[in-house]
């Protein structure tokens, strides 16, 4: 975390507060934006290859002009020396499975089965998720990696779909169709076989 914090501090704008998580492409941090006077999330790029930078830009552009309450809102794409990152809405929530199931500590000891699902919460969350996915598809974008860790639910019950690192245009799928990308447990058959995918693959994941 220190190397990223040091690369951002000279701008005088962002104070990196903590590390939120990481994926194959980069690391996400919570930061304070001095210019906007608010906390934001910063997604940084781990690898500076031409392909990685292109995918990073594509992820940002996929949602740059799209505003929907069930999609994570993006801010600015910034290049600072050899550091690429973009700002996005800081979503304070738990992942979908954590939202619809009680914490393990609240269960009786010795029970081997999974905790019960709160059906009312699950139904409401799936409705909001469907709204977000529909808005994404209406904008011509396929997510390609819808899974519980990429779906956060705030304490208010608001559902937010995030992590668009594998998103692509439905109209211009590009070269990535020949590679298998995504998460196996939630992947549509055509995606698992490396074929072209459309909105149907996202609905399979849902």
């Amino acid at each position: 975390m220190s190397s990223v914090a040091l690369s951002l501090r000279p701008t005088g704008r962002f104070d990196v507060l903590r590390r939120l998580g990481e994926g194959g492409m980069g690391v996400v941090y919570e930061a304070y934006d001095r210019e906007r006077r608010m906390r934001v999330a910063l997604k940084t790029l781990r690898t500076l290859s031409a392909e990685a930078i292109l995918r990073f830009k594509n992820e940002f552009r996929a949602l740059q002009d799209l505003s929907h309450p069930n999609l994570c809102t993006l801010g600015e794409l910034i290049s600072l020396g050899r550091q690429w990152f973009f700002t996005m809405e800081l979503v304070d929530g738990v992942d979908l499975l954590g939202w619809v199931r009680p914490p393990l500590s609240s269960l009786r000891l010795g029970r081997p089965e999974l905790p019960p699902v709160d059906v009312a919460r699950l139904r409401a969350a799936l409705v909001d998720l469907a709204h977000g996915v529909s808005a994404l598809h209406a904008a011509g974008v396929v997510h390609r990696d819808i899974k519980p860790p990429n779906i956060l639910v705030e304490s208010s019950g608001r559902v937010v779909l995030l992590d668009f690192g594998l998103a692509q245009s439905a109209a211009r799928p590009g070269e990535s169709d020949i590679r298998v990308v995504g998460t196996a447990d939630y992947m549509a058959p055509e995606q698992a076989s490396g074929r072209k995918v459309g909105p149907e693959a996202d609905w399979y994941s849902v």
Side-chain angles (χ1 to χ4, degrees):
M1 177 171 157
S2 58
S3 62
V4 175
L6 288 173
S7 69
L8 294 176
R9 281 175 182 159
T11 69
R13 176 174 175 180
F14 297 103
D15 289 329
V16 178
L17 303 177
R18 63 187 176 112
R19 184 176 180 145
L20 296 176
E22 62 181 295
M25 288 182 59
V27 183
V28 180
Y29 298 90
E30 177 183 347
Y32 181 74
D33 185 342
R34 292 175 176 270
E35 184 175 303
R36 301 179 63 195
R37 298 183 180 181
M38 61 184 295
R39 291 188 307 157
V40 297
L42 295 181
K43 183 165 186 178
T44 65
L45 182 61
R46 189 196 307 273
T47 305
L48 294 178
S49 67
E51 179 184 3
I53 293 174
L54 177 61
R55 288 181 60 187
F56 196 69
K57 290 180 178 179
N58 287 341
E59 176 181 359
F60 180 80
R61 290 165 181 160
L63 279 184
Q64 182 179 11
D65 298 321
L66 183 58
S67 177
H68 191 276
N70 301 120
L71 298 175
C72 183
T73 302
L74 302 190
E76 303 170 61
L77 177 64
I78 300 171
S79 173
L80 180 64
R82 290 181 55 80
Q83 180 69 56
W84 283 85
F85 62 95
F86 60 72
T87 65
M88 57 186 180
E89 169 189 10
L90 180 64
V91 181
D92 185 10
V94 297
D95 72 40
L96 180 63
L97 292 185
W99 175 253
V100 301
R101 285 183 170 137
L104 292 175
S105 59
S106 69
L107 301 175
R108 293 199 304 270
L109 295 178
R111 292 183 59 183
E113 67 269 20
L114 288 172
V117 170
D118 185 322
V119 177
R121 279 191 169 190
L122 178 60
R123 286 175 174 165
L126 287 177
V127 169
D128 282 353
L129 176 60
H131 288 317
V133 173
S134 295
L136 191 66
H137 293 166
V141 178
V142 180
H143 189 284
R144 299 201 302 172
D145 198 22
I146 297 177
K147 58 185 178 180
N150 288 343
I151 304 163
L152 294 184
V153 187
E154 297 179 329
S155 59
S156 64
R158 176 193 172 216
V159 174
V160 184
L161 178 62
L162 61 160
D163 197 344
F164 297 85
L166 298 182
Q168 69 176 20
S169 168
R172 293 180 291 107
E175 74 282 357
S176 59
D177 283 325
I178 64 174
R179 303 184 316 182
V180 177
V181 295
T183 303
D185 287 347
Y186 303 94
M187 195 182 295
E190 65 270 26
Q191 187 172 346
S193 63
R195 302 200 304 271
K196 174 182 176 180
V197 300
E200 299 82 6
D202 281 349
W203 289 121
Y204 181 96
S205 300
V206 173

